[in-house]
Amino acid sequence: MQLTRNILAGAFAAALVAAPAGAQEHQMTLAHVLSEQSAYQIILTRFGELVEERSNGRIAVEVQCCAQAGNETRAIQSFRTGVLTGGFVGGSSLETVVPAFRVLSLPYLWTGSEEAYEVLQGETGREMLDFLHEFGMHGLGWGAIFERSVASRRPVETVEDLQGLKIRVLPTPGFVEAYRVMGAQPTPMAYGEVFMALQNNVVDALEISPDSIVADRFVEVVEYYSLTKAHQSTTVFVLAKSFFDGLPEDLQEIVQTAADEAIAHGIEAHLELNRKGLEIVRERGVTVIEPDLAPFAEAARPSWDVILADVPEARELLEIIEAGRQR
């Protein structure tokens, strides 16, 4: 019996010696809900290529697009429990778990996407990601920003034109309250139902980014696209904290630097998709309106106190953002 144990132990040791230095040690499964043409997919694909190459195969990466792992609420729960390694989700989805992120639903929080990118990609953005740790998640970085404006069946040139407008909004308190205060009739509904709802006059409009209005064919059912830009919807590259903390320091550094580079690449691709999106919107005969945003921002501002009510963590995060503007 002892001889058998020695033989097996020797064989096992020999196998370890014979194993290649770059043998896979960790498997990453990354999920998102958007299409294979989205910024999410672009970023995660580039990330996987960089990580596998720089880790010499010690980390393998699989990307699951198109809600294969369920909606964002389900994905976030999977990140927290470690069922999924991580992926991309919207900041508005995270606010259901991370109270501080309610601040991201404030209308006209940013002067525009340029300011949002500047703050989020810097030191302030890193401080904001630290709020995820308490909830079992680790933030690798902020991704592409979806600048959401009003696509509608009737023109929206002034705040008064929003009065009574039945508009599909993201199903979060911040989005609902923002449009309610501006006089519209906010209607939360599943994204997959919106196209038919517009066709059947169940809603008059939706708030959406330039790339998505084309990719998801809403140019076929709206006549106007008003660049109201009420929300700069943030996106976050999240990992299960248990996974990231379990990596040796050298692999943690590889994962973080790969994420930084992949995000920068994806943001550039997303900006190009937005530019082309607006071109196609005009080519398809949809009238693009560029209203004065000051009256919209003024009308929306009373929603801030309601959105932040009883959420001290969100007010704390707002203070961090305001301080970040001064850096």
Side-chain angles (χ1 to χ4, degrees):
M1 181 64 72
Q2 183 62 42
L3 178 60
T4 301
R5 289 198 188 100
N6 290 341
I7 291 172
L8 290 174
F12 180 68
L16 288 178
V17 171
Q24 179 187 326
E25 300 171 11
H26 305 277
Q27 172 68 47
M28 299 183 75
T29 302
L30 306 176
H32 69 88
V33 300
L34 299 185
S35 74
E36 292 181 318
Q37 287 74 46
S38 66
Y40 286 180
Q41 182 76 12
I42 292 170
I43 292 171
L44 293 180
T45 299
R46 175 61 68 90
F47 170 81
E49 293 168 351
L50 293 174
V51 164
E52 290 184 351
E53 176 186 353
R54 293 174 182 177
S55 72
N56 193 25
R58 293 165 64 192
I59 302 177
V61 180
E62 176 192 1
V63 178
Q64 296 181 357
C65 74
C66 316
Q68 294 177 53
N71 60 26
E72 290 197 342
T73 300
R74 181 175 176 182
I76 290 168
Q77 184 59 28
S78 295
F79 302 160
R80 298 180 69 192
T81 60
V83 173
L84 283 172
T85 313
F88 254 101
V89 291
S92 56
S93 295
L94 280 166
E95 76 176 55
T96 61
V97 174
V98 186
F101 279 25
R102 175 74 63 87
V103 74
L104 298 174
S105 287
L106 295 176
Y108 299 102
L109 172 64
W110 315 100
T111 57
S113 59
E114 184 175 339
E115 181 191 47
Y117 277 123
E118 182 177 353
V119 173
L120 293 175
Q121 300 302 327
E123 181 182 342
T124 299
R126 186 67 257 171
E127 290 181 43
M128 293 169 68
L129 291 175
D130 288 343
F131 279 80
L132 295 170
H133 290 168
E134 181 184 347
F135 303 92
M137 293 176 282
H138 177 82
L140 288 176
W142 300 89
I145 292 170
F146 291 78
E147 190 169 73
R148 305 180 77 93
S149 293
V150 177
S152 58
R153 301 172 66 91
R154 71 187 202 212
V156 176
E157 298 177 334
T158 66
V159 174
E160 288 70 31
D161 292 329
L162 285 175
Q163 305 308 301
L165 187 77
K166 293 181 291 184
I167 181 170
R168 184 272 177 179
V169 299
L170 287 176
T172 68
F175 278 69
V176 171
E177 183 62 22
Y179 281 94
R180 187 193 69 77
V181 166
M182 287 191 285
Q185 294 183 29
T187 307
M189 68 171 61
Y191 189 65
E193 300 173 4
V194 183
F195 191 91
M196 186 170 293
L198 280 164
Q199 283 185 316
N200 296 332
N201 297 316
V202 174
V203 294
D204 306 310
L206 76 157
E207 38 82 41
I208 192 170
S209 60
D211 59 323
S212 297
I213 191 176
V214 173
D216 296 326
R217 300 174 40 235
F218 287 106
V219 287
E220 299 175 12
V221 289
V222 300
E223 298 174 46
Y224 301 91
Y225 189 40
S226 181
L227 304 183
T228 50
K229 306 177 183 180
H231 290 96
Q232 307 293 332
S233 282
T234 56
T235 62
V236 191
F237 190 173
V238 177
L239 291 186
K241 189 172 185 295
S242 58
F243 176 85
F244 187 79
D245 289 349
L247 293 174
E249 287 188 13
D250 64 323
L251 291 184
Q252 286 184 350
E253 183 176 354
I254 285 171
V255 165
Q256 185 61 66
T257 56
D260 294 341
E261 293 179 31
I263 285 171
H265 170 72
I267 287 173
E268 287 301 316
H270 179 73
L271 292 175
E272 181 62 15
L273 286 173
N274 277 344
R275 187 189 66 77
K276 288 183 177 178
L278 277 178
E279 283 184 4
I280 295 171
V281 165
R282 290 186 169 98
E283 290 171 2
R284 295 292 295 274
V286 175
T287 301
V288 176
I289 300 169
E290 299 188 49
D292 177 6
L293 298 185
F296 286 86
E298 182 180 356
R301 189 58 185 254
S303 69
W304 283 34
D305 285 340
V306 177
I307 294 168
L308 298 180
D310 303 319
V311 191
E313 303 95 333
R315 291 190 180 277
E316 178 187 349
L317 191 49
L318 180 59
E319 292 175 4
I320 290 173
I321 291 171
E322 294 292 355
R325 296 185 205 274
Q326 310 307 318
R327 290 177 178 166

